[in-house]
Amino acid sequence: MAVTIRDVARACGVHVSTVSRTFSAPHMVNAETRTRVLSAAEELGYRPNRAARSLTTGRTGNLGLIVADLANPFFPPLIKAAQAAARARDYHLFVADTDEDPAKEEELVLAFSKQVDGVVLCSPRASNKALEKLVGTIPSVLVNRRLRGVTTVLMDVARGARTAMEHLAGLGHRRVALVAGPAGSWTSGEIRKAVADVPGLDTVVIGPNAPTEEGGTAVAAQVAAAGVTGVLAYNDLVAIGLIEGLDELGVSVPGDVSVIGIDDSITGRLYRPKLTTVAMPTADAGRMAVDLLITSMSAATLLETHLVVRETTAPPKGIP
Amino acid sequence: MAVTIRDVARACGVHVSTVSRTFSAPHMVNAETRTRVLSAAEELGYRPNRAARSLTTGRTGNLGLIVADLANPFFPPLIKAAQAAARARDYHLFVADTDEDPAKEEELVLAFSKQVDGVVLCSPRASNKALEKLVGTIPSVLVNRRLRGVTTVLMDVARGARTAMEHLAGLGHRRVALVAGPAGSWTSGEIRKAVADVPGLDTVVIGPNAPTEEGGTAVAAQVAAAGVTGVLAYNDLVAIGLIEGLDELGVSVPGDVSVIGIDDSITGRLYRPKLTTVAMPTADAGRMAVDLLITSMSAATLLETHLVVRETTAPPKGIP
DNA sequence: CTGAAAGCGCTAACAA
DNA sequence: TTGTTAGCGCTTTCAG
């Protein structure tokens, strides 16, 4: 059995409450006693049991962060920023991955419940109803998902998507495709709405699709057959998968068709040709989500996005 | 306050222990009583408090996984496999990131302590002494790090690195470089030793370096000046950073110099030219680490690696 | 400033 | 099969 507060108390002839106080309210204990307790604790290798502490205080000092897919390069910067923000306020952040499965989402929130003081749900896929139930059980903030009465950090992907389409239009494209994301995704919905009526652009929607490289590759033929010269993809991964698929079909990017991703992930930045993409403020979102959670502030924040033009977009063929 | 076992007990006129049993040992309670308890619990929205439970049982049902850098594409497949393995045995896995900082490593283990039943430490950077202290406080398994008496999952990177160098030699290269990884890394040490004496190859070691894209870019000039025609990099990220840096310098890959990465990460797979690399059994490692942790088996496992030849390696210039 | 005592939510003997 | 009774390790009144 590990060494407990009682062992320390015994070791320096003092009562447990005094030991407890030396750790949770040091100023309330005599300086000399404090050093004695501290050194005894040190010597015995005493570590406060946070689970036990949380039982009385109701606080755990932990936060949870739930993402759909750790392997999606969109998330790591968000997670790292969230982690830094949590640390800065003396919290620990535990991360879990739902594998894009709404059921696991629920399960994980339940698992976190009582072991964390709050949870950040990133791009949750659950239905509104299920989500409502979840956020009722524990302080939560949502990232890229809107829900009545729940603190939210949103990225202005609508504007970014629109700018991306306008970029295409400006290049001379007339008929373009939107390769949409998964059905439950707020982001995908926003994008759809935002690009529905860009002046001068005829937009065909393809999807829903998995938010992965495979999702993009899978629709390459469909895109090639759609008679479009430009594409906005749900995210960088989908864009890259699409480019790979197009390549197999002998369609070159940006020679034959221009492709724009969304996220500005490291993967897109390193890809060749370097991916034109909509930069998402992921780090800001991670930081803000944690800050809002800790300060229990209720707010709806909209973070800006911007277009990063790189090498996968060009004027349509035939237009110099 | 949340609804407790006591509320449920009161609600259906039964004692707390009965409610407790309904959840932890359902077969020990009358079928009819059980349904009554269950429906009352459901209705009240009762959720067992796992922290409280762990206080008496000594078990939490959670595992911790600590990685150096979530943003390194090496880790996500490992994490996902670990997560799946944990789920399969009815555990939850919480992930944390140390930002390559040994001090945070220690802090995180302590934070996990008592909130998880064991932890998987992936490529820890701590000193042997610090690590020894850590693994003493909680059941642990190490991935890619060797420590006397501690359960370990290792990847045979030595063999992979050697094969990579032999591939270079076979292509006709004579003078090559190893762009090494960080100082505290077991993997980097293994690689260094493994490539020290490949027949027919003259190897210059450059490093230690950060295990990131920047780490690779930073030594591009040095590599270009080293008079080598082939390079083995510490990982895919370093390889890619190096290629980018070389490119800036007007050195083409694989035209002027061949580059091999290690990991076989998605990033390398998607890069152009497609990266020749040493595939690491990351998913296997994640799965095994969790299984070993749960079964409390003590073992040292060595997982195989293999070379994946793609497009960044070619014979040295002048050799057809 | 420190000790005594109650209790956080739950489980685990032990009885009944 | 169910109730009773102790705690798990810690914090937090309340006295002293």
Side-chain angles (χ1 to χ4, degrees):
Chain A
M1 201 80 270
V3 20
T4 90
I5 204 175
R6 201 131 29 209
D7 301 320
V8 180
R10 196 174 312 123
C12 50
V14 87
H15 251 255
V16 290
S17 41
T18 306
V19 178
S20 172
R21 270 188 288 258
T22 20
F23 285 94
S24 41
H27 60 277
M28 296 191 102
V29 47
N30 185 303
E32 196 217 339
T33 322
R34 197 192 316 153
T35 42
R36 232 174 53 225
V37 170
L38 252 20
S39 73
E42 172 71 36
E43 188 164 343
L44 297 177
Y46 167 70
R47 293 285 146 203
N49 182 327
R50 310 187 93 208
R53 172 180 295 177
S54 81
L55 210 49
T56 39
T57 60
R59 283 191 62 256
T60 64
N62 302 324
L63 299 178
L65 178 70
I66 297 180
V67 300
D69 179 13
L70 266 171
N72 183 333
F74 171 75
F75 290 111
L78 190 155
I79 297 173
K80 301 203 88 159
Q83 208 144 219
R87 275 183 66 80
R89 296 179 177 263
D90 226 28
Y91 276 81
H92 288 281
L93 186 76
F94 298 154
V95 182
D97 170 310
T98 66
D99 261 324
E100 299 272 351
D101 176 353
K104 286 193 201 161
E105 219 157 272
E106 184 163 354
E107 197 188 312
L108 279 171
V109 173
L110 260 32
F112 270 140
S113 183
K114 298 297 180 344
Q115 320 208 49
V116 301
D117 299 332
V119 4
V120 177
L121 284 153
C122 295
S123 319
R125 302 282 189 245
S127 69
N128 273 358
K129 206 173 143 220
L131 205 51
E132 232 150 33
K133 226 182 82 189
L134 286 187
V135 304
T137 70
I138 188 171
S140 321
V141 357
L142 261 29
V143 174
N144 279 356
R145 178 72 179 256
R146 195 153 223 164
L147 196 64
R148 199 168 44 78
V150 183
T151 301
T152 298
V153 178
L154 265 17
M155 308 185 199
D156 196 352
V157 65
R159 181 151 167 214
R162 209 178 159 88
T163 309
M165 284 306 201
E166 285 164 359
H167 167 63
L168 252 20
L171 250 19
H173 296 269
R174 289 296 162 256
R175 187 171 161 75
V176 301
L178 168 67
V179 175
S185 156
W186 172 86
T187 306
S188 189
E190 288 293 292
I191 298 170
R192 277 176 111 115
K193 280 183 285 174
V195 306
D197 60 342
V198 180
L201 232 42
D202 190 14
T203 304
V204 16
V205 177
I206 297 176
N209 305 287
T212 58
E213 190 204 344
E214 289 77 30
T217 309
V219 295
Q222 205 176 334
V223 168
V228 301
T229 59
V231 179
L232 173 63
Y234 172 68
N235 67 17
D236 285 357
L237 247 30
V238 170
I240 289 175
L242 174 63
I243 297 176
E244 294 283 319
L246 253 16
D247 193 62
E248 296 256 307
L249 263 28
V251 178
S252 94
V253 173
D256 299 315
V257 9
S258 291
V259 174
I260 304 181
I262 295 182
D263 284 356
D264 191 22
S265 64
I266 173 99
T267 307
R269 211 146 51 230
L270 292 177
Y271 190 68
R272 304 285 189 88
K274 296 190 196 303
L275 194 65
T276 294
T277 189
V278 176
M280 297 278 261
T282 46
D284 289 342
R287 188 177 322 117
M288 290 211 55
V290 163
D291 284 347
L292 289 171
L293 192 54
I294 292 176
T295 58
S296 299
M297 279 184 44
S298 182
T301 313
L302 187 62
L303 266 21
E304 303 227 325
T305 61
H306 67 272
L307 182 67
V308 182
V309 178
R310 291 202 273 247
E311 306 169 357
T312 57
T313 42
K317 239 177 176 162
I319 298 192
Chain B
M1 199 82 271
V3 19
T4 92
I5 203 175
R6 201 133 26 210
D7 301 320
V8 180
R10 195 173 313 122
C12 50
V14 88
H15 256 255
V16 288
S17 44
T18 306
V19 178
S20 172
R21 270 188 290 258
T22 319
F23 287 94
S24 40
H27 59 277
M28 295 190 103
V29 45
N30 185 302
E32 196 218 339
T33 320
R34 196 191 317 153
T35 42
R36 232 176 50 227
V37 171
L38 252 21
S39 72
E42 173 71 37
E43 188 164 341
L44 297 177
Y46 167 72
R47 293 286 148 202
N49 181 328
R50 310 188 91 209
R53 172 181 294 176
S54 81
L55 210 50
T56 39
T57 59
R59 282 191 64 257
T60 64
N62 301 324
L63 300 178
L65 178 70
I66 297 180
V67 300
D69 179 13
L70 266 170
N72 184 333
F74 172 75
F75 290 110
L78 191 156
I79 297 172
K80 300 203 90 162
Q83 208 144 220
R87 276 182 66 81
R89 295 178 176 265
D90 226 27
Y91 277 82
H92 289 281
L93 186 76
F94 297 154
V95 182
D97 170 309
T98 67
D99 260 325
E100 299 273 352
D101 176 354
K104 285 193 202 162
E105 220 158 274
E106 184 163 353
E107 197 189 312
L108 278 171
V109 173
L110 261 32
F112 269 141
S113 183
K114 300 296 180 349
Q115 320 207 48
V116 302
D117 298 332
V119 3
V120 177
L121 284 154
C122 295
S123 320
R125 302 282 190 246
S127 69
N128 273 358
K129 205 173 143 221
L131 206 51
E132 233 151 30
K133 226 183 81 190
L134 286 187
V135 303
T137 69
I138 188 171
S140 319
V141 357
L142 262 28
V143 174
N144 280 357
R145 177 71 177 259
R146 194 154 223 164
L147 195 65
R148 198 170 44 79
V150 183
T151 302
T152 297
V153 178
L154 265 17
M155 309 186 198
D156 196 352
V157 66
R159 183 155 166 211
R162 209 180 159 85
T163 308
M165 284 306 200
E166 286 164 358
H167 168 62
L168 252 20
L171 250 18
H173 297 268
R174 290 296 162 255
R175 185 170 163 76
V176 300
L178 169 66
V179 175
S185 157
W186 173 87
T187 306
S188 189
E190 287 293 293
I191 298 170
R192 277 176 111 113
K193 281 183 285 175
V195 305
D197 61 342
V198 179
L201 232 42
D202 189 14
T203 305
V204 17
V205 177
I206 296 176
N209 305 287
T212 58
E213 192 204 343
E214 290 78 30
T217 309
V219 296
Q222 206 177 334
V223 167
V228 301
T229 59
V231 178
L232 174 62
Y234 172 68
N235 67 19
D236 285 356
L237 247 28
V238 172
I240 288 174
L242 175 63
I243 296 176
E244 295 282 319
L246 254 17
D247 194 61
E248 296 257 307
L249 264 27
V251 178
S252 95
V253 173
D256 300 314
V257 9
S258 291
V259 174
I260 304 181
I262 296 183
D263 283 356
D264 191 22
S265 63
I266 174 100
T267 307
R269 211 148 50 230
L270 291 178
Y271 190 69
R272 304 285 188 90
K274 294 188 198 303
L275 194 67
T276 294
T277 190
V278 177
M280 297 277 261
T282 46
D284 289 341
R287 189 178 320 116
M288 289 211 55
V290 163
D291 284 346
L292 289 171
L293 193 54
I294 291 175
T295 58
S296 300
M297 279 185 44
S298 184
T301 314
L302 188 62
L303 265 22
E304 304 225 326
T305 62
H306 66 273
L307 182 67
V308 183
V309 177
R310 291 203 272 247
E311 306 169 358
T312 58
T313 44
K317 238 177 178 166
I319 299 190

